[in-house]
Amino acid sequence: MTAGTTVTAPDGTEVVLGEIGTRVLLENPRVRVWEVALDPGEAQGWHLHHNPYVVLCLSTSPCHMDWLDGSPARQLSETVGGSVYRPVSPVHMLTNHGDAAYRNRLIEVLDLGEEASGLPYDVPQGVATGSSFAEVGEVPAKVVVDEDDVRVQHVTPDAGESYTWQTGAYPALVVDLDLETEPLAGLVYLEPGESYTLPAKPSRTSGYNLVELRYFSR
């Protein structure tokens, strides 16, 4: 991480880089998961990514991304339950210029970036290549990111419904998008072949994102 590092903008201004998120919720040799929380008018500050990352939207508001090199700003319009997978990128900052709170979970994929541990990863024998649900019939899930490295599914159970999901031949994360759920309790890391039952809720919420680190199965 480069927080605290001083860089120079094209106009000669010195800028001290900050963290890429508000706080770290989970960290292991494979991933680092951040909470990003910006209230209306709040900016995240200049920062730099050294690892590819997945953004999961929990609460949306119009935002824009500025680039330290002077490139045109990028306007962001995200949807709750949506996700995006991004490579490393130049120094930038995120500003919430809307009237609502913006919240996301940012998952750094350490194995594919500069912070890769180099630790080998062996998939246990007998583990199916792909993930699956234990339930027979239709599950309210849709794929919102489908890349060679990462796949993200959005699951939206109705009130009282619960589904059991089993990972494939790769680690995965389950992220509860309900803002009423305590962030640490709403984040589960699964090893290949492990299963997890999504907690039933008394009312319909924003659901869950299932993040599959598919590069392990290649």
Side-chain angles (χ1 to χ4, degrees):
M1 294 185 287
T2 55
T5 301
T6 299
V7 298
T8 304
D11 64 1
T13 303
E14 291 189 342
V15 175
V16 179
L17 300 182
E19 300 287 10
I20 67 173
T22 307
R23 60 169 172 160
V24 175
L25 300 176
L26 181 151
E27 184 171 5
N28 62 37
R30 307 298 172 186
V31 297
R32 182 184 298 120
V33 183
W34 294 82
E35 177 183 49
V36 176
L38 295 176
D39 291 328
E42 190 174 6
Q44 188 177 5
W46 297 110
H47 60 278
L48 178 65
H49 294 270
H50 291 277
N51 308 293
Y53 59 100
V54 183
V55 178
L56 311 175
C57 182
L58 279 70
S59 177
T60 188
S61 182
C63 294
H64 65 270
M65 190 175 291
D66 294 301
W67 307 91
L68 188 62
D69 64 7
S71 298
R74 176 193 297 166
Q75 301 297 318
L76 302 182
S77 180
E78 299 181 5
T79 302
V80 174
S83 179
V84 62
Y85 178 54
R86 291 178 176 150
V88 294
S89 54
V91 176
H92 58 277
M93 67 184 299
L94 183 66
T95 301
N96 178 358
H97 63 260
D99 298 325
Y102 173 79
R103 301 286 186 269
N104 78 32
R105 298 288 179 266
L106 190 153
I107 302 170
E108 293 186 83
V109 185
L110 303 183
D111 285 290
L112 302 182
E114 295 183 16
E115 295 185 62
S117 66
L119 295 174
Y121 202 96
D122 296 323
V123 178
Q125 290 187 352
V127 173
T129 300
S131 64
S132 62
F133 288 93
E135 288 71 24
V136 176
E138 186 175 355
V139 175
K142 66 176 181 179
V143 176
V144 292
V145 170
D146 192 6
E147 303 282 351
D148 289 340
D149 294 332
V150 173
R151 183 169 77 159
V152 182
Q153 296 186 71
H154 181 215
V155 186
T156 52
D158 283 331
E161 287 186 343
S162 178
Y163 298 94
T164 297
W165 182 63
Q166 185 170 38
T167 65
Y170 35 70
L173 294 107
V174 178
V175 181
D176 191 336
L177 305 180
D178 184 357
L179 292 174
E180 298 300 317
T181 300
E182 202 283 322
L184 293 177
L187 182 62
V188 178
Y189 180 85
L190 301 172
E191 297 289 353
E194 289 188 334
S195 61
Y196 179 76
T197 300
L198 305 179
K201 301 290 184 73
S203 61
R204 186 183 175 94
T205 70
S206 297
Y208 302 84
N209 277 144
L210 312 178
V211 183
E212 307 173 50
L213 306 183
R214 296 202 294 181
Y215 57 88
F216 280 111
S217 63
R218 294 205 302 265

